[in-house]
Amino acid sequence: KARASSKRRSAAAKSPRGLRIRSECLARLGRFDELDRDAADLPAPDESLDSAETTSDLVRALVVRSRIDPGPAGQYEILMGLLGRARGELDRLDWRSRLAEAELLLEKDNPEEAGEALAETLALHPRLADAWALLGRTSIDRFDFARANAAAAALRQLDPEHPLADLLDVREALVRNDPAAARAQLDGVLARYPDLPEALSLE
């Protein structure tokens, strides 16, 4: 029984979703050697994937890995094609494929189209904190502070002390060249979440 349970856990860890979660964790921990070794477990991106969720998990895992290895030539076009199939054929209401598309577009420095993908994501899942945070960061990078403030406000509707909302304020203060305001806001986040990677990187 214990061996069967272990096999199920092992299979789950090597599923596209398990690999995506593990990739994100290893990247946040800075364990890039392990992230690179794990790439052997990632299936080749092709049209055999049978669900929008599986497709988006695989794409998001490959996006994380692309930060240390861009992959073979043409991979971006292949992944965008898979996401187009996921939302066009497999599940027209799947928010995950839109989020994966936004992340992929941001990796390719295309914030305008990423913002459109994030707007579609939030239309399908308006309480998705990761999408609001990405929309806020993208808006700040484009100096669209009104939209960034709206994203922070949406996060605070989910949680009045949402750290991602505070970090958007920190980023905006830095872009506005107000390090004192950024420092004050950041100190409050670090007091509550001293090990939050994004807060530490902003510090």
Side-chain angles (χ1 to χ4, degrees):
K1 186 175 180 180
R3 284 196 297 272
S5 176
S6 176
K7 286 180 180 178
R8 283 196 298 272
R9 286 197 299 271
S10 178
K14 292 192 175 183
S15 69
R17 186 176 189 182
L19 290 166
R20 189 260 299 170
I21 293 170
R22 179 172 168 81
S23 295
E24 290 172 348
C25 291
L26 290 173
R28 282 180 173 269
L29 291 168
R31 290 158 57 177
F32 299 116
D33 289 343
E34 291 178 64
L35 179 61
D36 195 38
R37 287 197 299 270
D38 274 11
D41 290 326
L42 288 170
D46 59 38
E47 293 195 2
S48 66
L49 299 169
D50 59 1
S51 77
E53 181 176 358
T54 298
T55 301
S56 59
D57 278 328
L58 173 60
V59 170
R60 292 178 73 189
L62 288 167
V63 167
V64 172
R65 188 175 184 277
S66 72
R67 294 167 191 163
I68 59 171
D69 181 352
Q75 178 165 280
Y76 170 75
E77 288 76 14
I78 291 171
L79 297 183
M80 288 296 287
L82 284 176
L83 292 173
R85 177 174 176 267
R87 68 173 182 273
E89 300 176 23
L90 299 177
D91 187 348
R92 293 180 183 276
L93 299 179
D94 180 61
W95 57 266
R96 297 171 185 84
S97 56
R98 269 77 166 182
L99 180 62
E101 182 178 349
E103 292 175 341
L104 182 56
L105 287 163
L106 286 173
E107 288 294 320
K108 291 297 180 179
D109 296 320
N110 190 342
E112 184 172 352
E113 290 188 34
E116 294 172 6
L118 287 168
E120 290 183 13
T121 304
L122 290 164
L124 294 166
H125 191 342
R127 294 179 60 82
L128 186 61
D130 285 347
W132 282 117
L134 272 179
L135 182 62
R137 289 181 61 175
T138 303
S139 300
I140 291 168
D141 290 343
R142 299 175 66 198
F143 303 98
D144 187 348
F145 299 124
R147 198 177 195 189
N149 292 337
L155 286 166
R156 290 190 173 104
Q157 285 186 334
L158 302 177
D159 178 353
E161 296 186 354
H162 206 301
L164 295 180
D166 291 342
L167 292 179
L168 287 179
D169 291 344
V170 173
R171 288 181 179 279
E172 181 176 336
L174 290 172
V175 170
R176 289 182 181 276
N177 197 27
D178 189 350
R183 177 79 258 183
Q185 190 81 35
L186 185 59
D187 284 344
V189 178
L190 288 170
R192 304 196 311 275
Y193 305 99
D195 298 319
L196 188 63
E198 187 178 347
L200 292 171
S201 68
L202 284 171
E203 184 181 34

